[in-house]
Amino acid sequence: MEKKTWWVIVGGARRLGLALAKTLAENHKLVLTSSKFPEGKEELSKLSIHTDVRLLRWDANDPSLASRIMTDIQVLLGEGITISGAIIIAGTFPSAPLGSWNVEELQKTWQINLTFPLMAIQSLAPNLMEGSCIQIILDTCIHRPWLNRLPYSCAKSGLATLVSGLSQLLAPKIRVVGHAIGTVLPDDDSDPVFLQNQTLLKRLGTPEDLARAITYTADSPYLTGEILTLDGGRRWV
């Protein structure tokens, strides 16, 4: 059976993940995971124009998540699919000002932004081909925390420690790189002009900006253990 080389995008079927997938689909075969797909079905179908696309339902709140991930990976490998890279982009961006915190909401925030990525990476890493790169999408808040989203900022900062730690644990077979991104796809209720003015470059990022950074990282075999910041200079304003 002819082997195919694929990238897995964890969280690749919604918002930024979907936009990134559409950009990368011209040159890569993709496995996209999401907790649900309904809104993206039509958009996802367009990706097949450029490449093969597989969809997997990985729900951070699924109590059998670990076994589900392992089963899905073994099915892919059994079909002759070779996984040559993984992009971890899954997450939420909840507002949580000081005084509103409670155990239940904190657990929800950390479950999707920290626990779920850890579980996905732990399952994917042993099944990546030698020379692969795990790319973890972080947030520029690891440099300057979002004051109204401190639980989210804590989760992303915790995830950032994986970059250096995993790069050591998985070397030399697998490389690990992080991307601390600024605003790329703002929420509908956000003020884009205000957000632009919070950067040195006076513009928002685009999925294409992130795709270029991801492609550069994938094509840089001597790069590992680093966090690249792609925020238009927000942390200096």
Side-chain angles (χ1 to χ4, degrees):
M1 180 185 299
E2 180 184 356
K3 287 189 177 293
K4 300 176 181 179
T5 301
W6 297 63
W7 282 9
V8 176
I9 305 181
V10 178
R14 299 173 67 83
R15 285 187 55 77
L16 179 56
L18 178 56
L20 178 63
K22 288 193 289 186
T23 300
L24 295 175
E26 295 186 14
N27 299 306
H28 302 280
K29 297 178 175 65
L30 302 174
V31 176
L32 309 180
T33 85
S34 180
S35 60
K36 50 188 174 181
F37 295 103
E39 70 183 42
K41 278 289 187 181
E42 182 177 347
E43 291 297 317
L44 287 168
S45 66
K46 297 177 182 177
L47 296 179
S48 61
I49 296 173
H50 304 292
T51 189
D52 293 316
V53 176
R54 294 286 298 274
L55 307 179
L56 298 177
R57 189 179 300 278
W58 291 358
D59 187 344
N61 297 310
D62 182 357
S64 60
L65 175 65
S67 60
R68 175 68 178 267
I69 292 176
M70 289 304 301
T71 297
D72 286 342
I73 291 174
Q74 292 308 310
V75 169
L76 294 174
L77 297 177
E79 293 177 3
I81 291 176
T82 299
I83 305 172
S84 65
I87 301 168
I88 313 299
I89 198 170
T92 59
F93 190 56
S95 176
L98 181 65
S100 69
W101 304 343
N102 60 66
V103 172
E104 182 180 1
E105 292 304 316
L106 290 174
Q107 288 177 337
K108 287 181 182 179
T109 297
W110 292 331
Q111 178 73 15
I112 185 65
N113 289 297
L114 185 57
T115 302
F116 176 47
L118 263 68
M119 296 300 294
I121 292 171
Q122 177 175 253
S123 297
L124 283 165
N127 295 292
L128 298 177
M129 64 180 291
E130 186 168 353
S132 297
C133 184
I134 297 173
Q135 303 195 51
I136 304 173
I137 309 304
L138 303 168
D139 189 296
T140 189
C141 70
I142 68 172
H143 303 301
R144 285 179 57 188
W146 300 103
L147 298 185
N148 282 327
R149 304 175 193 268
L150 280 178
Y152 166 85
S153 300
C154 289
K156 289 300 183 182
S157 295
L159 196 57
T161 64
L162 276 186
V163 176
S164 60
L166 283 176
S167 66
Q168 297 174 68
L169 288 174
L170 300 178
K173 178 183 176 182
I174 305 295
R175 297 183 296 114
V176 183
V177 175
H179 299 274
I181 64 173
T183 304
V184 176
L185 287 180
D187 296 332
D188 293 338
D189 58 353
S190 298
D191 182 347
V193 175
F194 171 79
L195 294 173
Q196 290 171 10
N197 288 333
Q198 296 302 302
T199 71
L200 293 179
L201 298 182
K202 305 306 177 187
R203 75 170 179 89
L204 301 181
T206 67
E208 291 75 19
D209 289 324
L210 179 55
R212 280 189 289 270
I214 286 173
T215 300
Y216 164 78
T217 299
D219 293 340
S220 302
Y222 203 49
L223 175 64
T224 193
E226 295 295 335
I227 295 176
L228 309 181
T229 298
L230 192 74
D231 67 355
R234 177 191 179 274
R235 65 197 181 285
W236 309 123
V237 175

